[in-house]
Amino acid sequence: MSASREKNKRKEQIASGETPAAPEKKGMSKGLKWTIGIVCLVLVIAIVTFFSMLTSGYFAAHTTAATVDGHNLTPAEVNYFYREAYATLSNQYGDMMSYIIDSNTPLDEQYYDEENGVTWADTLLEQGLDNAARMYAIYDEAVANGASLSEDDQTSIDATIENLRTYAPAYGYSSLNAYLTAQYGTGCNEKNFRAFLEMETLANNYSQEVYDKPVYTDEELEADYAADPNKYDTVDYRVFAVTDGLFDEEDETKLAELKKTAADEMLAAAEEGDEAFIQAAYDHASEDSKESYEDDSYTLRTDVSHTEDSELSDWLFESDRQAGDATCVETSGTYYIAIFEGRDTHDYQLPNVRHILISVSDTTDEEAMATAKATAEDLLAQYEAGEHTEEAFAAIGDAAYADGTAAESARYEDITPGQMVEAFENWCFDKSRQIGDTGIVESSYGYHVMYFSGFGSNYKLKLVADAMRGNAYTEWLTSVTDGASYETNAFGMRFVTK
């Protein structure tokens, strides 16, 4: 039947009141229904699995968030470098950290550069990945040169992990993995933490080997020192700055005259000597700072290194400078009046000592300090009653450390100025010190039973060697890490914990 005849027939049926026959319904077969059901079930399982993987940290531990010179880093591995960048910043600023970052606010909600929309999370992530690029470049160089972890290295890594496993419950975590997740981020676990430690340890060890490798003769060191002593020597001097803030004067001409007059008076006092200079500094100081100038050492600067592009520093480091010389240097509207006190070439031997530390957690606790002092005196008495040798002193210290009497029994070599707490250092650098000298020193740590072992390296030559070695290391590091870079993966970066 043609389409037109079919159409006419339907019209006739409608006109006569007949209902056209409905087309035959064809229901789904049982097989099709079963197939669709299976597909739906699989889809539901896939969705549940996806969200399970999402919340369990699977993606954070298995996807690629960044690629560093051929190394694919998971979000969890990126977390380690990110947290290290934060730790570095925290160590750098110490107690001032709270003025930079609010620990109660997520880092991705705090701006490092608000004008450009850069958060602290962005900044630390970039720093962490930059460090990862450099670290892997060193790691690859180490592996290429046959470097590997020693048994001691592996033991140290094992100990680190076991210590965390032991203390995790004490911090309120059910397991080591729970602790690592809380500290470093989602996806962090024992396996990838160990891998991170192994890579970092190998890279750091190899870097240290490269740094330590150069050996220089005394002739080479002396030649380098002679070429530019200003790189290594330091000076002591007194200084007073005549600034705008010392005067209550807004007229620029009158202010300039007042400053020049004060500077001339200070220079005249400096030429008379230290005593006159100290008094003049007090007289010219602002009212809110006079109390500080009552201390004779307030104008004194010690162990100061040479500064490039500084007229005052250049004057201080002139080779013919003599103690008592005075000068006035004007820089950017401020007059600096100074007296040269002396120059230190550091041409002396560094001390080597042994000590036995009887530590006190709170040195304001008089009873605890008295007990510690009695213990120190008893240990020194044991030494005095026996053989007067370094070996005998070491044996007493080791025994005290082993039974918990002492917190430390150690030998320190080539102690440099500023390395130790003041009381400890003063004893070591006492000019009358002789090999075999003993004593008891009180410090902010408790009491130290001391033994003077002798003299080590020449400080001047050590400074030169350290500088030369540092320059060689910097050249090597630049050659190895030059061009080190990273690329991020948008999907994987979503699982980095910020």
Side-chain angles (χ1 to χ4, degrees), residues 5-27:
R5 291 179 64 187
E6 179 68 25
K7 183 177 181 180
N8 290 334
K9 182 178 180 181
R10 286 200 299 272
K11 287 181 179 180
E12 291 174 0
Q13 288 175 332
I14 292 172
S16 63
E18 296 181 19
T19 302
E24 182 181 355
K25 292 183 179 180
K26 295 183 178 180

Side-chain angles (χ1 to χ4, degrees), residues 227-244:
D228 189 2
N230 289 354
K231 290 195 302 185
Y232 306 106
D233 294 353
T234 58
V235 295
D236 298 341
Y237 65 99
R238 290 186 180 276
V239 66
F240 181 85
V242 177
T243 65
D244 294 354

